Each structure stands twice: as C-alpha cells, then as structure tokens.
C-alpha cells in the first residue's frame, strides 16, 4: 500500500546506516547517492551502547535509520544468548525509540530463522514464527521492537549473497570454492529463497522512497532451491563442473538447528508494487561476465518487465 502523503517527508535530512561495515550495510550506505548518509560501524557506534545511540541520533536527526548491524553467528548464539539478545533485540529497541524521538523512519532486517522450517510451502508475512534456536529467537524479539516504531519496517532476508564484507555468505563461499577448483559441501535438504544484497538494497530504497506502509516485509529473491540447486546454478553461469559433496544438515552436525524448508513469499512487497527478481536472475547478474551487477532488474512494477517472476 503506497501513500503519497507518507512518501519520505524528510528527503533533505540524512540517512543513518548502522552496521555499515557489514555486507548489507556497505551496499545500503552506497544506495543513497542523492542524499546525505551517515554510516557507523561497530568501531564508531556500538549499538548496544544505548546512551551513545541516543546521543548520535539526537545529533544527526536523521530522516531514516537503517539498522544493518547484527549478531549473526547462529551457532555461537547458543552459548552466548546475552550477546545475541543485546545486539539483535535490545539494541533494536533503543534504535526504534530513538527513531521515534526524531520522527525518523526505522528499517531493520530479520531472517528466515524465525521459522522452524517444518512446512512444504513458502512462508508469507502472516505465517506464525517459531524459531528453533537462540539466534532466531533474538531476531524475532528484535522484529517486535522494530515494529513498535511509528514508522518501523522489518525486512526479512535470507542467505544473503553478493556484496562485499569481511564475512562471506554461504553461497559466496561455495562460489569461491568452485572457482578455486576445491570440492564444496552443499546441503541437499535445506531449502532457501536466497537474497542478493543489491536487490535487497534496491527494495529497501523503494519502500522508503515510495512511502510504503510500515510493517513486516519479506524481501528475498523470488523462488527457492536447495543449496545444491543454488550451487549448480552458479556453476552453470560460471561454466564450471564443480565437485559437489552432497550432505544433509544432520550429517554436518551443526550446533544450532537450521530450518529445513524456508522458502519465503514476498507477498506484501508485491502488493506494494515491487517485484523482486528471481534468484536465478540475481545469480546471473552477480556472476555472468558483462552482466549488470547492481540490482538492475529490481525496479518498481517489475511484474510487467519480468513476467517470469512468480511467487513460489
Ligand atoms: N548474512 C545472511 O545470510 C543473513 C541472513 C538472514 C538475515 N540476515 C540479516 O541481515 C542483516 C545484515 O546482515 P549481514 O550479513 O550484512 O551482516 P554482517 O556482514 O555480519 O554485518 C553485520 C555488522 O554488524 C556489526 N556489529 C555487530 N555487533 C555490533 C554492535 N554491537 N554494534 C555495532 N555494530 C555491530 C558487525 O561488526 P563486526 O564485523 O565488528 O562484528 C558487522 O559489521 C542482519 O540483520 C542479519 O541478521 C543476514
């Protein structure tokens, strides 16, 4: 639902991006070339330092706060719930309240790990979360705090790939291994709707610029596949014949349980007039030589220009 009245009233004021050294944060910070952007990293703003957050937001008085900082170590979170909750939940509450204090829009990112994955069809935004581990629970609490903001947006993303940052995602690591000629391990039983970082950034801008209704949005590339499917598609685009070591999640003996089937449907984003490209299209733009890297297929009303994009 788009409203002209709500369309980003503070265009001259800054966009504050927290977690700006992360993979999504770096891309988000670069996606507002027409606006003043203030980017913070953990070194310049620890978002768990509530006073520092309130002070900075009061100084900058941003029109938009985009929080890309997160505690993302799914396995370590099981032994460090306080750390996970501090960053993924209570710091989000502080940011949401600070956003309200200066009338800013607040954008926060969450994850498919809020679901248990015990299903066979794509989850939409109305599906009831049921996290299986500490990381997912901390992110769910963060969602609730973020949505308390008067103009709070939560975008659930999944298995981020592309972009740059110190911690490559699973698909980035698979591609690096294939390019190096190493055998790569891929799950045959985890189904995901992966999210190409530039496409998430483009969708985020759309929601902000078009004054979309605040609330919860799934923001993944359209469609889904197993990790094996994703690896095989990447190999096809790269023209490689990789050695894939197929395994199940149980065989990997992971500390924290992962949701098995986590296709997400972007129903609300689609209703707001924005169609995310398919994950295959995103993989092609990411890897194919000479292809447009940055969210080129992500644009309003892409339903008309990309008829092949269908919700799963
Ligand atoms: N990556 C995925 O596949 C994935 C999947 C689902 C959802 N998400 C969500 O998407 C968002 C972006 O993820 P990402 O992959 O871009 O994350 P990322 O690359 O790990 O970046 C997160 C950033 O947050 C910073 N950070 C951690 N604790 C902080 C603190 N207390 N104060 C300030 N900064 C802090 C990290 O700094 P350090 O490097 O110093 O730790 C890092 O720069 C997050 O909300 C994440 O939960 C990601």
């Amino acid at each position: 639902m788009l409203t002209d009245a709500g369309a980003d009233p503070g265009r001259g004021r800054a966009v504050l991006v927290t977690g700006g050294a992360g993979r999504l944060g770096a891309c988000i910070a670069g996606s507002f070339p027409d606006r003043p952007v203030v980017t913070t990293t953990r070194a310049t703003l620890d978002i768990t330092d509530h006073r520092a957050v309130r002070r900075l937001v009061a100084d900058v008085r941003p029109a938009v706060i985009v929080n890309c900082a997160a505690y993302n170590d799914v396995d370590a979170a099981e032994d460090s719930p306080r750390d996970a909750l501090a960053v993924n939940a209570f710091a989000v509450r502080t940011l949401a309240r600070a956003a309200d204090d200066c009338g800013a829009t607040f954008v926060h990112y969450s994850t498919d790990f809020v679901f248990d994955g015990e299903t066979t069809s794509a989850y939409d935004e109305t599906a009831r979360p049921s996290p299986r581990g500490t990381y997912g629970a901390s992110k769910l609490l963060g969602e609730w705090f973020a949505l308390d903001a008067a103009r709070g947006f939560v975008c659930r993303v999944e298995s981020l790939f592309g972009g740059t940052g110190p911690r490559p995602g699973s698909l980035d690591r698979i591609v690096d291994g294939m390019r190096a000629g190493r055998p790569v391990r891929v799950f045959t039983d985890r189904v995901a709707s992966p999210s190409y970082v530039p496409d998430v950034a483009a969708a985020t801008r759309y929601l902000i610029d078009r004054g979309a209704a605040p609330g919860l949005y799934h923001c993944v590339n359209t469609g889904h596949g197993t990790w094996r499917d994703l690896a095989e598609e990447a190999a096809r685009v790269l023209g490689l014949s990789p050695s894939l070591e197929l395994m199940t999640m149980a065989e990997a003996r992971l500390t924290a349980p992962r949701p098995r089937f986590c296709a997400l449907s972007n129903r609300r984003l689609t209703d707001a007039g924005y169609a995310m490209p398919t994950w295959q299209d995103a993989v092609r733009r990411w890897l194919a030589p000479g292809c447009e890297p940055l969210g080129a297929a992500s644009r309003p009303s892409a339903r008309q220009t990309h008829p092949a994009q269908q919700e799963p």
Side-chain angles (χ1 to χ4, degrees):
M1 192 80 58
L2 299 179
T3 55
D4 282 335
D8 192 9
R11 281 199 71 84
R13 283 160 57 202
V15 177
L16 172 63
V17 181
T18 53
R23 220 136 39 90
L24 184 57
C27 187
I28 292 281
S31 66
F32 292 92
D34 52 334
R35 299 183 64 152
V37 176
V38 175
T39 304
T40 66
T41 65
R42 192 210 284 257
T44 59
L45 179 71
D46 178 343
I47 63 165
T48 65
D49 182 341
H50 304 285
R51 284 210 186 97
V53 169
R54 302 299 278 246
R55 214 168 29 239
L56 182 83
V57 172
D59 279 355
V60 175
R61 294 197 63 74
V64 183
I65 301 174
V66 187
N67 177 38
C68 299
Y71 182 105
N72 278 336
D73 192 329
V74 173
D75 292 317
E78 293 302 317
D79 292 326
S80 308
R82 287 173 67 108
D83 294 342
L85 284 164
V87 180
N88 291 344
F90 297 111
V92 178
R93 181 176 61 182
T94 305
L95 284 162
R97 289 178 179 171
D100 275 355
D101 286 348
C102 65
T105 295
F106 180 52
V107 182
H108 176 67
Y109 297 93
S110 188
T111 169
D112 56 310
F113 276 55
V114 297
F115 295 117
D116 60 19
E118 296 302 315
T119 184
T120 51
S121 58
Y123 291 105
D124 71 11
E125 293 85 349
T126 62
R128 188 181 167 81
S130 175
R132 300 186 63 190
T134 305
Y135 166 76
S138 71
K139 293 294 287 185
L140 181 60
L141 194 51
E143 289 188 357
W144 294 338
F145 286 139
L147 293 174
D148 268 349
R151 279 196 57 74
F153 290 82
V154 170
C155 297
R156 283 190 188 135
V157 300
E158 176 171 13
S159 305
L160 287 175
F161 67 98
T164 55
R167 275 187 290 275
S170 302
L171 192 52
D172 301 69
R173 277 196 297 270
I174 287 169
V175 163
D176 286 349
M178 291 194 306
R179 278 181 159 146
R182 292 192 299 268
V184 290
R185 294 180 159 193
V186 289
F187 293 137
T188 51
D189 60 345
R190 169 148 159 79
V191 174
S193 300
S195 310
Y196 184 40
V197 164
D199 286 350
V200 173
T204 301
R205 259 221 87 150
Y206 178 83
L207 291 173
I208 295 168
D209 288 352
R210 297 296 291 268
L216 175 64
Y217 290 82
H218 288 177
C219 191
V220 297
N221 283 108
T222 307
H224 60 265
T226 62
W227 281 103
R228 177 189 186 172
D229 296 332
L230 307 185
E232 287 179 346
E233 180 65 12
R236 195 188 61 72
V237 172
L238 290 168
L240 298 173
S241 305
S243 162
L244 298 183
E245 290 180 1
L246 307 182
M247 67 188 317
T248 62
M249 288 191 286
E251 286 166 343
R253 295 169 182 266
L254 300 159
T255 305
R258 266 72 168 164
R260 186 187 50 78
F261 185 96
C262 250
L264 298 189
S265 148
N266 299 318
R267 190 181 56 77
R268 247 193 120 200
L269 198 52
T270 310
D271 288 349
Y274 195 87
M276 287 290 275
T278 63
W279 66 263
Q280 293 92 337
D281 178 83
V283 167
R284 184 184 55 77
R285 280 180 287 121
W286 178 39
L287 297 177
C291 260
E292 187 68 51
L294 285 181
S298 318
R299 55 175 74 97
S301 302
R303 263 173 297 178
Q304 283 81 46
T305 49
H306 298 276
Q309 294 158 20
Q310 299 292 334
E311 289 294 312

